[in-house]
């Protein structure tokens, strides 16, 4: 691999100038390919005539990937009070005390539905009486960039809103923990998965 130094000169095709131009390796912030956010302080080739980014050397890829992984996305929603109570009851039953109550569930069910997706499950939940009611409890969830992408994919697949998907996860959790009467072994398994997701 060719390794470049800061300040080193090279030549490359600039898409802005539409010709091969002299370039200089400089430290700049680079937008992520997703278009959301940017990687800070990355060594890249800059066009000497227009000062725009011309190319990102291979050596900079791990630094960009590292920052992309750390990127945290926030999701906000309002849910009914009783639904949040159902969530707390489920946590009590599991014997887990997590300061962050909603995010572990969202993380867990995103992966669960990724592996095991049945649209009929959603239909049952979304038509439940428990989903309805005045939404006075505010929830805020922090997700990694990759989980955020998965969350949105699932939302699209279902054709439902952010709030409805969060409510779906909360109700499914209650269903799995309280209604389904898990055996002690299943409960232990769930607990260990949840502790990892927390
Ligand atoms: Zn240029």
């Amino acid at each position: 691999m060719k390794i470049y130094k800061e300040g080193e000169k090279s030549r490359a095709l600039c898409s802005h100038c539409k010709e091969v131009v002299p370039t200089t390796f400089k430290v700049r912030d680079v937008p992520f390919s997703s278009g959301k956010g940017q990687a800070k302080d990355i060594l890249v080739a800059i066009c000497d005539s227009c000062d725009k980014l011309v190319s990102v050397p291979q050596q900079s890829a791990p630094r960009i990937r590292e920052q992309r992984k750390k990127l945290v996305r926030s999701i906000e929603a309002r849910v009914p009070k009783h639904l949040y109570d159902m969530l707390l009851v489920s946590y009590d039953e599991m014997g887990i005390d997590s300061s962050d109550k909603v995010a572990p569930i969202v993380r867990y069910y995103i992966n669960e539905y990724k592996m095991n997706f049945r649209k009929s499950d959603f239909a049952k939940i979304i038509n439940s009486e428990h989903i309805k009611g005045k939404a006075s409890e505010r929830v805020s969830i922090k997700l990694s960039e990759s989980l955020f992408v998965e969350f949105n994919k699932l939302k699209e697949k279902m054709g439902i809103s952010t709030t409805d998907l969060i409510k779906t996860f909360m109700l499914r959790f209650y269903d799995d923990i309280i209604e389904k009467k898990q055996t002690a072994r299943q409960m232990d398994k769930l607990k260990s998965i949840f502790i990892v997701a927390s």
Side-chain angles (χ1 to χ4, degrees), residues 145-156:
E145 176 69 15
S146 58
L147 273 172
F148 183 77
V149 169
E150 291 299 331
F151 181 91
N152 284 323
K153 269 191 206 160
L154 196 56
K155 224 174 82 178
E156 242 171 67

Side-chain angles (χ1 to χ4, degrees), residues 17-59:
C17 299
K18 294 187 172 54
E19 60 178 343
V20 175
V21 294
T23 62
T24 306
F25 281 86
K26 292 180 182 171
V27 175
R28 290 279 169 92
D29 295 344
V30 180
F32 291 122
S33 48
S34 65
K36 298 271 167 85
Q38 52 185 9
K40 299 238 178 287
D41 300 334
I42 305 298
L43 191 62
V44 289
I46 298 293
C47 173
D48 283 354
S49 29
C50 72
D51 203 43
K52 288 205 160 55
L53 188 147
V54 171
S55 69
V56 179
Q58 216 184 331
Q59 76 195 58

Side-chain angles (χ1 to χ4, degrees), residues 1-5 8 59:
M1 190 196 302
K2 167 93 174 108
I3 300 289
Y4 295 96
K5 297 188 183 86
E8 193 171 334
Q59 76 195 58

Side-chain angles (χ1 to χ4, degrees), residues 16 19 26 32 40 80 87 102 113 140 152 168 170 195:
H16 188 251
E19 60 178 343
K26 292 180 182 171
F32 291 122
K40 299 238 178 287
L87 179 84
V102 187
Y113 280 117
S140 173
N152 284 323
T168 302
M170 291 169 82
I195 288 162

